[in-house]
């Protein structure tokens, strides 16, 4: 089955700890994205990558880091520098054409205690 | 000014009603337009693309008005299962997606 997987679905961490969220896709998409969604709010772009070994900051990159060593994988690290990390994190991917849309993974709900 | 703006609602409608949402976008160079549906605590899922000529998929009709820079979604004969948040999405600058904050729809029996 083609799609995007994120793991884990729920994640609990203590304040001050770094945590890495996984995102894998087998859709052969070039572009991958990380968004954050807070309760009752829209999606905010954290980082995106249009090609392997390249990525750009989105609107709220502070306190986050990413890597794109493989086309299929785009992990997100939430560092201790992120002031309010508790949120719903969504990974997405898309093709290269301007008409291509984004497909989302099921999300990871991170709670920092 | 936000790239994409939507009325957050909620729109509370009875089953069988027709309901319409609008979404405005600020960049006239926007290239592609989509409507997504997001259920509570789930990921957004593509509902339909929006073409210049408009498009229809069953009970759902999407329209694009480039001159006034808005897109619309019309839902006819609303079902309880249509209750969700509807997100408007606009793209430009190749692979850069801009999401509205969503419009919440509650369909009541």
């Amino acid at each position: 089955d083609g799609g995007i997987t994120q793991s884990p679905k729920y994640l609990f961490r203590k304040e001050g700890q770094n945590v890495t969220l996984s995102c894998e896709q087998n859709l052969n998409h070039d572009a991958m994205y990380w968004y954050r969604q807070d309760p009752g709010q829209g999606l905010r772009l954290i980082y995106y990558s249009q090609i392997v070994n390249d990525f750009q900051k989105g609107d709220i990159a502070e306190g986050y880091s990413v890597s794109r060593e493989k086309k299929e994988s785009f992990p997100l690290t939430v560092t201790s520098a992120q002031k309010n990390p508790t949120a719903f994190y969504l990974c997405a991917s898309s093709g290269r054409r301007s008409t291509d849309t984004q497909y989302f993974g099921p999300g990871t709900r991170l709670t920092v205690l | 000014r936000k790239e994409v703006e939507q009325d957050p609602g909620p729109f509370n409608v009875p089953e069988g009603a027709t309901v319409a949402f609008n979404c405005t976008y600020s960049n006239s160079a926007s290239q592609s337009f989509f409507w997504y549906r997001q259920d509570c605590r789930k990921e957004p899922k593509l509902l339909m693309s929006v073409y210049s000529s408009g498009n229809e998929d069953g009970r759902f009709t999407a329209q694009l008005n480039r001159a006034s820079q808005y897109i619309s979604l019309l839902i006819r004969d609303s079902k309880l299962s249509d209750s969700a948040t509807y997100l408007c999405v606009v793209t430009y600058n190749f692979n850069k997606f801009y999401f509205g904050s969503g419009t919440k729809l509650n369909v009541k029996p």
Side-chain angles (χ1 to χ4, degrees):
Chain A
D1 269 46
I4 304 175
T5 56
Q6 289 185 244
S7 61
K9 190 170 183 180
Y10 298 96
L11 188 55
F12 296 88
R13 277 294 181 267
K14 291 182 179 177
E15 201 170 328
Q17 288 182 329
N18 290 359
V19 60
T20 297
L21 311 184
S22 164
C23 177
E24 305 277 331
Q25 55 99 358
N26 61 5
L27 299 167
N28 199 32
H29 282 165
D30 287 299
M32 296 187 74
Y33 310 78
W34 275 105
Y35 294 92
R36 168 184 173 137
Q37 189 174 38
D38 293 283
Q41 304 294 316
L43 277 67
R44 291 187 290 168
L45 182 64
I46 304 172
Y47 268 98
Y48 65 103
S49 168
Q50 295 185 345
I51 200 166
V52 174
N53 291 325
D54 187 48
F55 48 82
Q56 286 80 41
K57 292 182 180 180
D59 302 316
I60 55 163
E62 186 175 346
Y64 299 97
S65 65
V66 293
S67 62
R68 186 89 187 275
E69 296 175 4
K70 298 188 298 181
K71 187 175 185 177
E72 306 79 31
S73 179
F74 192 40
L76 173 75
T77 296
V78 185
T79 74
S80 56
Q82 168 47 234
K83 290 184 172 39
N84 296 300
T86 294
F88 186 39
Y89 289 88
L90 287 157
C91 178
S93 70
S94 70
R96 292 184 70 83
R97 296 175 302 177
S98 61
T99 52
D100 285 339
T101 190
Q102 283 188 339
Y103 295 92
F104 285 85
T108 292
R109 204 163 291 276
L110 172 65
T111 301
V112 175
L113 306 169
Chain B
R1 185 184 172 186
K2 288 185 181 177
E3 300 284 349
V4 180
E5 302 216 46
Q6 293 183 251
D7 181 343
F11 284 60
N12 298 308
V13 303
E15 266 187 296
T18 295
V19 61
F21 312 131
N22 275 350
C23 161
T24 58
Y25 60 94
S26 61
N27 193 320
S28 60
S30 297
Q31 296 168 307
S32 299
F33 308 86
F34 308 94
W35 282 103
Y36 281 70
R37 169 197 170 123
Q38 186 174 24
D39 292 294
C40 190
R41 301 176 72 83
K42 299 279 192 180
E43 76 273 26
K45 293 187 176 175
L46 179 67
L47 180 66
M48 58 199 309
S49 302
V50 188
Y51 306 119
S52 296
S53 55
N55 55 313
E56 189 173 313
D57 183 2
R59 298 181 293 108
F60 299 83
T61 300
Q63 300 272 0
L64 166 63
N65 185 318
R66 281 194 184 270
S68 301
Q69 294 183 205
Y70 74 85
I71 68 173
S72 63
L73 178 67
L74 181 78
I75 305 175
R76 288 181 297 277
D77 188 24
S78 299
K79 312 288 184 196
L80 294 177
S81 57
D82 293 334
S83 296
T85 297
Y86 291 84
L87 305 175
C88 166
V89 182
V90 171
T91 75
Y92 62 90
N93 281 349
F94 180 62
N95 279 158
K96 198 80 183 293
F97 290 75
Y98 295 88
F99 285 78
S101 298
T103 297
K104 189 170 174 61
L105 172 65
N106 295 320
V107 182
K108 311 282 191 182

